[in-house]
């Protein structure tokens, strides 16, 4: 009898549907609890945003397969190769996807297949050859977001009022800039270690600055943020003022406020708030005002804070690399929008 496959909904997020006792082992209270514990750990193997993206990837591929009269399971390298080719070819009204998006889609399929107990061989010629051709024909240099430089961040925080929301948003911008933080890292901070189950790190404030311990996408790292030279732009003082006036001494550092803006709630801010805050204050501060508003909004994102620190900090490159949590100096240089590329002149060093 032919083996049957479930071709309906995508695998459960986190791959927990495949975690169970071996068929030859009898269940017990202890083992059943361990299965539940293992499933909890499996759910934590990837971030919620990553799991949501993988679910969307699977849904799109499954729908594509059905439209072509095929099934998504078991994996077919031939069909996946055709799917990649379709993603790269514009078919009005749908535009062609970028190479990076196509690679992300392929990673999503590989993850979903793994949750179903299959291995997707990405080196199979039907997949690898098509993907190599797509890269050769369509690959473009990555589009980088504009860096928020020192003078920009000063102008941005100057647009914020000194009410409770303004204090919070000022702390977000200054702390994110000085720490070179991702927007997800900013909003995942707790006041203390293990305050909440969804914590991504915690803060410690000292006389000379603040120490952030982060559980980031590259693993645990410490970020040291010293006190600034001015009270108006010191990220540590801005953080202290927000925590004091919001009366936050436990849980999420950056929380939502009530409708009247007079008190902080317990609900953690979403990372999209950081992106919206950056775009709004960029407009209010008149940064790149020579461009149309639509173009100005497209230039800046949450990554503009990290790029700004990398581009503005006049220190040895290795310190910037450590602050950003990069594994290589080459990755750090991608964030540096302005730097002396010829500071080390190998032509003269080689005797020419």
């Amino acid at each position: 009898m032919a083996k049957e496959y479930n071709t309906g909904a995508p695998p459960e997020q986190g791959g927990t549907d495949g975690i169970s006792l071996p068929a030859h082992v009898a269940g017990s209270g202890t083992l059943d609890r361990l299965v539940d514990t293992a499933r909890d750990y499996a759910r934590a193997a990837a971030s919620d945003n990553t799991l949501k993206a993988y679910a969307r990837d699977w849904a799109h591929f499954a729908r594509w397969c059905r439209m072509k009269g095929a099934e998504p399971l078991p994996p077919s390298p031939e069909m996946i190769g055709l799917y990649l080719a379709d993603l790269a070819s514009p078919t009005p009204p749908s535009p062609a996807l970028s190479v990076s998006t196509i690679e992300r889609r392929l990673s999503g399929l590989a993850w979903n297949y793994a949750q179903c107990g299959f291995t997707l061989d990405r080196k199979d010629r039907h997949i690898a050859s098509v993907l190599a051709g797509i890269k050769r024909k369509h690959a473009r240099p990555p589009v980088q977001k504009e860096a928020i430089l020192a003078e920009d961040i000063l102008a941005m925080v100057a647009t914020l009022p000194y009410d409770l929301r303004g204090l919070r948003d000022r702390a977000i911008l200054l702390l994110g800039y000085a720490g070179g933080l991702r927007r997800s890292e900013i909003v995942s901070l707790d006041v203390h270690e293990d305050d909440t189950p969804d914590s991504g790190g915690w803060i410690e404030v000292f006389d000379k600055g603040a120490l952030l311990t982060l559980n980031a996408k590259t693993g645990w790292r410490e970020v040291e943020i010293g006190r600034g030279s001015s009270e108006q732009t010191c990220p540590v003082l801005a953080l202290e003022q927000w925590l004091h006036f919001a009366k936050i001494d436990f849980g999420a550092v950056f929380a939502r406020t009530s409708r009247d803006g007079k008190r902080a709630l317990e609900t953690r801010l979403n990372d999209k708030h950081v992106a919206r805050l950056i775009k709004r204050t960029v407009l209010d501060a008149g940064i790149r005002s020579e461009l149309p508003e639509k173009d100005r909004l497209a230039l800046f994102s949450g990554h503009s804070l990290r790029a700004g620190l990398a581009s503005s900090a006049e220190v040895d490159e290795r310190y910037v690399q450590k602050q950003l949590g990069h594994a290589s100096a080459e990755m750090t240089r991608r964030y540096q929008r302005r730097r002396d590329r010829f500071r080390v002149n190998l032509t003269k060093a080689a005797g020419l």
Side-chain angles (χ1 to χ4, degrees):
M1 180 180 294
K3 185 176 181 179
E4 295 182 358
Y5 300 99
N6 176 17
T7 59
E12 181 183 342
Q13 288 192 4
T16 59
D17 52 344
I19 296 178
S20 59
L21 287 173
H24 62 277
V25 176
S28 67
T30 301
L31 287 176
D32 290 341
R33 285 193 296 272
L34 284 176
V35 169
D36 291 337
T37 301
R39 287 175 176 172
D40 289 339
Y41 280 125
R43 292 188 187 98
S47 70
D48 288 341
N49 288 339
T50 298
L51 294 176
K52 290 176 182 177
Y54 285 168
R56 290 193 298 267
D57 293 339
W58 181 261
H60 186 273
F61 176 65
R63 184 170 60 251
W64 181 89
C65 285
R66 287 193 292 270
M67 293 175 62
K68 305 302 180 186
E71 297 292 348
L73 289 171
S76 166
E78 293 87 351
M79 287 303 296
I80 293 174
L82 296 178
Y83 175 65
L84 299 181
D86 198 13
L87 295 179
S89 305
T91 52
S94 300
L97 299 184
S98 67
V99 173
S100 61
T101 300
I102 292 173
E103 290 184 306
R104 211 288 317 286
R105 288 273 179 93
L106 183 58
S107 296
L109 295 185
W111 185 90
N112 278 287
Y113 277 126
Q115 309 318 306
C116 296
F118 297 102
T119 299
L120 177 62
D121 183 9
R122 297 177 59 163
K123 294 183 179 180
D124 184 283
R125 61 188 180 88
H126 295 94
I127 298 175
S129 297
V130 172
L131 185 59
I134 291 172
K135 289 181 178 180
R136 184 176 179 86
K137 188 172 182 179
H138 298 297
R140 297 289 184 273
V143 178
Q144 295 182 320
K145 294 297 182 179
E146 191 93 349
I148 292 174
L149 304 178
E151 57 269 25
D152 299 328
I153 199 72
L154 295 179
M156 290 164 65
V157 298
T159 67
L160 297 171
Y162 279 89
D163 58 8
L164 198 58
R165 288 184 185 135
L167 291 176
R168 179 196 65 192
D169 291 344
R170 182 175 285 100
I172 287 175
L173 290 177
L174 292 174
L175 202 71
Y177 180 81
L181 305 178
R182 300 175 179 88
R183 65 186 194 184
S184 59
E185 294 172 342
I186 297 172
V187 299
S188 69
L189 284 169
D190 275 2
V191 178
H192 309 104
E193 182 179 2
D194 298 329
D195 273 358
T196 63
D198 59 342
S199 170
W202 66 93
I203 60 172
E204 297 172 86
V205 178
F206 303 98
D207 290 341
K208 293 185 177 180
L211 176 65
L212 278 56
T213 304
L214 299 170
N215 185 9
K217 61 187 293 186
T218 55
W220 285 100
R221 83 177 195 275
E222 291 183 341
V223 174
E224 299 154 356
I225 300 179
R227 293 187 181 271
S229 55
S230 166
E231 289 188 354
Q232 286 70 36
T233 59
C234 173
V236 182
L237 180 59
L239 174 65
E240 290 175 319
Q241 289 178 334
W242 157 247
L243 293 176
H244 172 72
F245 287 105
K247 299 178 181 179
I248 295 176
D249 56 11
F250 182 86
V253 169
F254 295 112
R256 298 183 182 276
T257 59
S258 58
R259 288 189 176 183
D260 59 10
K262 294 183 178 180
R263 60 188 178 86
L265 306 177
E266 294 183 359
T267 309
R268 186 186 302 276
L269 276 179
N270 187 286
D271 66 342
K272 292 180 181 178
H273 174 82
V274 180
R276 290 193 294 264
L277 172 63
I278 290 170
K279 291 179 182 293
R280 187 183 78 240
T281 51
V282 161
L283 291 181
D284 292 345
I287 297 171
R288 299 299 303 272
S289 57
E290 74 278 6
L291 298 176
E293 180 177 309
K294 181 180 179 181
D295 295 339
R296 293 165 67 195
L297 290 174
L299 280 177
F300 297 93
S301 73
H303 259 55
S304 296
L305 294 177
R306 285 167 64 78
L309 176 73
S311 303
S312 300
E314 299 292 339
V315 296
D316 191 294
E317 192 175 77
R318 68 178 183 271
Y319 296 114
V320 179
Q321 179 183 342
K322 178 181 180 295
Q323 190 83 337
L324 298 182
H326 289 154
S328 67
E330 180 58 35
M331 178 58 72
T332 301
R333 294 187 190 109
R334 294 182 189 178
Y335 282 76
Q336 294 172 326
R337 305 295 188 262
R338 64 178 189 187
R339 62 185 174 91
D340 184 359
R341 297 177 178 273
F342 303 101
R343 182 172 59 86
V344 177
N345 191 325
L346 292 181
T347 304
K348 290 183 179 179
L352 299 181

